[in-house]
Amino acid sequence: MSDRWQKCWEVAPEIYLLLKESESLEAARDVVVGYLQSLDWTRQREAVEIDPWDYVLFKEAVEGLKNLFSPRNERAAKTSSLEYLWQAAVSGDSEVADGFVDEFFHLFKAVKVQAEVYPSMLMEGMEVPDFDRYEGREAAERRSLYLDEMGRRMDLRLARYRSGLDPDLAEARAENRARILAVLDGDEDDWSDWRWQFRNVFKDADGLAIIKEIINLSPEHEESIPLALENGIPFGVTPHYLSLMDKNPGDLDFALRQQVFPPLKYVQKMIAHRIDRKWAFDFMREYDTSPADLVTRRYPRVAIIKPYDSCPQICVYCQRNWEITAPFMPSAMASMEKIEAALDWYDDHDQMMDVLVTGGDPLVLGDGRIDEILGRLAEMDHIVSIRIATRTPITVPQRITEELCEIFGSYHDLGRRSLSVVTHFMHPREVTAETLEAIRRIRVLGMDVYNQQVFTFANSRRFETAALRIVMKKIGVDPYYSFNMKGKSEMEEYAVPIARILQEQKEEARLLPGIFRTDEPVFNVPFLGKDHLRAWQNHEIIAIQPDGRRTYRFLPWEKNIVQVKPYIYDDVSISGYLERLRERGEDPEDYRSIWYYY
């Protein structure tokens, strides 16, 4: 028996013996599933005493194992987790990664009521009073003291993630701004001019040379960025966003650099697929959900329009990286004829009640063109909501001018229609005084501002996203969606296991007041649309791949309305994710309950 399997079999010796003594895979399936069902019924009959919190973990693990051992699920996942387990029991080992073994170790621990969940990382060493012994004011005071301590422990974690509103950080950013202006021969008036910011986006070899005068790049980015530029891989950073970075690459500005500096593997995979880019990287199948040029539709009452298909700054993980080659690329601007035709489509489809004006970034357009598009949509009585999707409050907050807001205000007509902004904050450090002013100008009109965060490796540490929610609420932005980072192979370095976003929602976000955690964790199913991740009825684990990845079946939002095929997805491995956290200086023990989220 190999050492790595020893821990599994020691936790669940009954399962080991059942597997080892089975003469065939099907015999192993029958006896192991029979054992699990018998164990479950014993617990349900309460023949063996078990605490309710342990029973929940036990029950979910049993259901998970039965899912993994189902022939139906094996066919869907194109692998048999049970076969690898059986081989390991019979022969001593099997050809699987350590992450596969880790998954079953924790599943077995939960089945044996030994799940590594309590005490949580927030409560370790803290005595929880027996509140049943107290009543009235005494009970309330004891609970209040206990909650105070929980809050203090949260604050220690949150303090790691300072926002750009922090005075010391703001001062450092002002120094960066002065250095950038000196290199570009600009002044403070230039800095405040969004057109100047647009003209000076760092997007080519000359721009890269200026970046390197301002900050130092990591060895990887020293190699990857020139390679990207040589091969037409999208790259671009605005002067404002560059000013948010530290002089030397480090943990504090890691998320900001990951946002815009492409990893080497990403660039290499983009180059490998440059000929078939549309088919290789159109992960969301937008090509198949566009009923008219510039229009994408996946839902009955809302569709998006893309009048401009690029941005001032390129997010590396952009789901439209298959069609964007650079900031302000010439082909990004749709002709007025195409825009008018797309607007005609909305006029002809009175089922549309909500329009998302997106791109790229539509606020690259001039005020006149924005006014024309919003004015035409406002003429349609069936359109009661218009949303503008833009990242400019973060990348070029100077774009949110008083003049632009006058246009917004003329179409925000409560009782008839609402106009709102949907933006994309990723990290507390992106919130600055200039961003605050941009949001203030929008909010004084009575408009709402919502945030769609992509949950990536760079912002997935304990309480990192909680810190973002807090500073967003301070400036008037409501958390809206947290997108699971998934899918395309070139994005592997950015991906986070589904279990981590579920853990974050339950163990970190849940500790915040309700209005601070209005975001919904979602998985965007290609071709079909968003699934709510916290709902078991929308997804289920069906396999552990030999490399340790979980395979999920997603049941699309339409499932109780129309008959639709499920979507099969292979996640990134939990063990690989935890190892990368260790390399960043995190203690994987702080995340140990991640294994028990399915």
Side-chain angles (χ1 to χ4, degrees):
M1 182 189 300
S2 69
D3 291 340
R4 64 180 187 156
W5 280 103
Q6 184 74 29
K7 63 181 183 180
C8 274
W9 307 139
E10 287 180 353
V11 169
E14 302 92 341
I15 293 178
Y16 169 65
L17 289 174
L18 290 171
L19 289 168
K20 184 175 176 61
E21 294 173 0
S22 297
E23 295 183 356
S24 68
L25 177 61
E26 292 311 311
R29 191 187 317 277
D30 289 342
V31 295
V32 172
V33 172
Y35 165 76
L36 293 172
Q37 290 174 329
S38 174
L39 192 60
D40 184 23
W41 185 239
T42 299
R43 299 292 189 195
Q44 293 210 45
R45 290 176 60 204
E46 296 187 319
V48 177
E49 188 172 338
I50 181 173
D51 288 322
W53 44 86
D54 286 329
Y55 178 74
V56 170
L57 295 166
F58 161 80
K59 182 70 174 177
E60 290 187 348
V62 168
E63 290 304 312
L65 283 169
K66 287 160 65 177
N67 259 18
L68 299 180
F69 299 159
S70 158
R72 173 176 175 272
N73 288 340
E74 288 179 349
R75 290 191 294 272
K78 298 181 172 58
T79 190
S80 172
S81 305
L82 180 61
E83 185 169 6
Y84 289 108
L85 276 176
W86 178 56
Q87 289 174 354
V90 172
S91 65
D93 205 351
S94 57
E95 295 181 2
V96 295
D98 289 345
F100 180 98
V101 183
D102 290 339
E103 284 281 5
F104 281 96
F105 170 67
H106 290 285
L107 281 163
F108 292 166
K109 290 204 78 166
V111 166
K112 301 296 286 185
V113 197
Q114 300 173 27
E116 297 176 17
V117 172
Y118 304 108
S120 73
M121 48 80 68
L122 195 67
M123 306 299 293
E124 198 142 19
M126 180 175 169
E127 184 177 348
V128 180
D130 181 2
F131 294 114
D132 291 338
R133 294 174 53 196
Y134 308 100
E135 293 180 351
R137 183 58 54 84
E138 184 179 7
E141 289 177 349
R142 287 178 179 273
R143 181 160 182 81
S144 183
L145 289 170
Y146 152 78
L147 293 173
D148 279 346
E149 178 59 25
M150 187 185 294
R152 279 191 286 270
R153 292 183 178 212
M154 284 179 62
D155 286 342
L156 289 174
R157 299 278 177 166
L158 290 166
R160 300 176 63 191
Y161 312 114
R162 293 188 298 164
S163 80
L165 299 178
D166 179 278
D168 292 339
L169 201 54
E171 183 178 345
R173 299 311 174 231
E175 294 173 1
N176 285 352
R177 180 170 69 245
R179 288 170 38 232
I180 294 171
L181 285 170
V183 172
L184 295 176
D185 195 24
D187 57 29
E188 289 292 339
D189 288 338
D190 290 325
W191 188 266
S192 300
D193 184 347
W194 63 272
R195 294 176 180 85
W196 183 90
Q197 292 276 340
F198 279 14
R199 285 196 302 272
N200 287 283
V201 168
F202 309 118
K203 58 181 178 175
D204 53 24
D206 291 339
L208 177 59
I210 294 173
I211 288 175
K212 293 167 71 171
E213 287 188 56
I214 305 300
I215 64 171
N216 296 319
L217 298 177
S218 68
E220 180 184 21
H221 291 145
E222 286 272 13
E223 182 178 357
S224 66
I225 298 173
L227 188 62
L229 293 172
E230 291 168 12
N231 288 275
I233 308 302
F235 169 77
V237 186
T238 67
H240 172 82
Y241 203 79
L242 183 64
S243 75
L244 308 184
M245 299 182 191
D246 297 328
K247 177 65 175 177
N248 295 309
D251 189 65
L252 296 178
D253 71 345
F254 178 82
L256 277 66
R257 289 177 180 248
Q258 288 294 102
Q259 182 80 12
V260 291
F261 296 157
L264 185 58
K265 288 182 181 178
Y266 164 88
V267 175
Q268 291 169 337
K269 288 189 177 182
M270 290 289 284
I271 293 171
H273 285 283
R274 68 189 318 172
I275 295 175
D276 62 342
R277 178 181 289 180
K278 180 180 291 186
W279 308 110
F281 295 133
D282 182 14
F283 182 77
M284 292 307 301
R285 290 179 63 188
E286 292 195 69
Y287 188 81
D288 299 327
T289 50
S290 178
D293 286 349
L294 312 185
V295 176
T296 301
R297 183 184 186 184
R298 296 194 186 97
Y299 307 102
R301 308 308 300 266
V302 58
I304 69 175
I305 181 171
K306 301 184 292 183
Y308 189 84
D309 208 13
S310 187
C311 298
Q313 176 170 295
I314 306 300
C315 301
V316 174
Y317 52 74
C318 178
Q319 73 177 34
R320 298 192 179 108
N321 62 4
W322 59 277
E323 57 185 1
I324 294 175
T325 57
F328 312 119
M329 61 187 190
S331 61
M333 179 73 76
S335 67
M336 201 57 210
E337 290 78 15
K338 277 195 173 184
I339 293 174
E340 287 290 351
L343 292 170
D344 287 342
W345 183 90
Y346 282 93
D347 207 4
D348 293 339
H349 288 76
D350 57 11
Q351 299 84 10
M352 295 296 101
M353 61 188 297
D354 181 27
V355 180
L356 180 65
V357 185
T358 182
D361 196 317
L363 295 194
V364 171
L365 300 173
D367 288 357
R369 183 60 55 87
I370 292 169
D371 195 5
E372 290 174 7
I373 293 170
L374 295 180
R376 180 73 191 284
L377 290 170
E379 292 173 355
M380 305 175 195
D381 289 338
H382 55 280
I383 301 296
V384 299
S385 169
I386 302 171
R387 291 178 288 153
I388 301 167
T390 177
R391 190 162 151 77
T392 56
I394 295 96
T395 61
V396 192
Q398 298 86 348
R399 177 64 185 99
I400 311 300
T401 62
E402 296 286 359
E403 294 78 14
L404 178 63
C405 288
E406 284 183 17
I407 295 171
F408 288 169
S410 66
Y411 298 111
H412 182 58
D413 185 6
L414 294 182
R416 184 179 177 191
R417 90 183 65 79
S418 66
L419 189 69
S420 58
V421 168
V422 181
T423 193
H424 178 35
F425 286 97
M426 288 292 293
H427 197 271
R429 286 197 159 223
E430 293 179 331
V431 179
T432 66
E434 292 154 304
T435 296
L436 168 59
E437 176 60 19
I439 300 300
R440 185 197 64 79
R441 287 178 173 174
I442 298 169
R443 289 303 306 268
V444 296
L445 300 171
M447 292 171 56
D448 292 315
V449 182
Y450 302 104
N451 192 66
Q452 297 188 152
Q453 183 202 37
V454 181
F455 197 68
T456 75
F457 177 75
N459 58 18
S460 68
R461 292 175 297 177
R462 284 291 198 174
F463 288 96
E464 198 159 12
T465 288
L468 174 62
R469 291 187 187 94
I470 293 169
V471 73
M472 284 196 302
K473 288 299 292 184
K474 284 182 179 180
I475 67 171
V477 177
D478 290 320
Y480 177 39
Y481 278 132
S482 292
F483 283 94
N484 178 68
M485 181 74 242
K486 49 90 173 58
K488 301 183 289 186
S489 62
E490 80 277 16
M491 294 289 91
E492 190 87 345
E493 291 184 44
Y494 290 78
V496 176
I498 286 170
R500 173 61 189 130
I501 197 170
L502 296 175
Q503 181 189 45
E504 196 279 336
Q505 288 284 324
K506 182 65 175 175
E507 299 184 18
E508 295 147 60
R510 190 62 185 82
L511 298 174
L512 297 172
I515 61 170
F516 287 74
R517 50 181 168 84
T518 50
D519 53 312
E520 187 68 36
V522 294
F523 183 99
N524 218 352
V525 178
F527 184 72
L528 295 170
K530 301 175 189 68
D531 253 356
H532 293 274
L533 266 174
R534 65 175 56 159
W536 257 80
Q537 62 265 35
N538 286 348
H539 75 278
E540 59 178 339
I541 186 172
I542 63 171
I544 307 296
Q545 295 290 337
D547 61 1
R549 298 168 184 260
R550 293 179 176 184
T551 299
Y552 289 92
R553 176 188 288 112
F554 278 91
L555 303 172
W557 66 268
E558 303 142 297
K559 71 181 179 68
N560 288 354
I561 303 170
V562 295
Q563 295 168 317
V564 288
K565 291 182 178 179
Y567 176 72
I568 308 300
Y569 170 67
D570 291 338
D571 202 5
V572 293
S573 77
I574 292 176
S575 62
Y577 170 72
L578 293 177
E579 182 54 37
R580 293 189 66 205
L581 284 177
R582 188 195 305 275
E583 292 169 0
R584 277 197 77 184
E586 292 289 289
D587 183 356
E589 273 296 296
D590 282 350
Y591 301 80
R592 65 178 181 270
S593 65
I594 190 173
W595 299 97
Y596 307 100
Y597 289 90
Y598 310 109

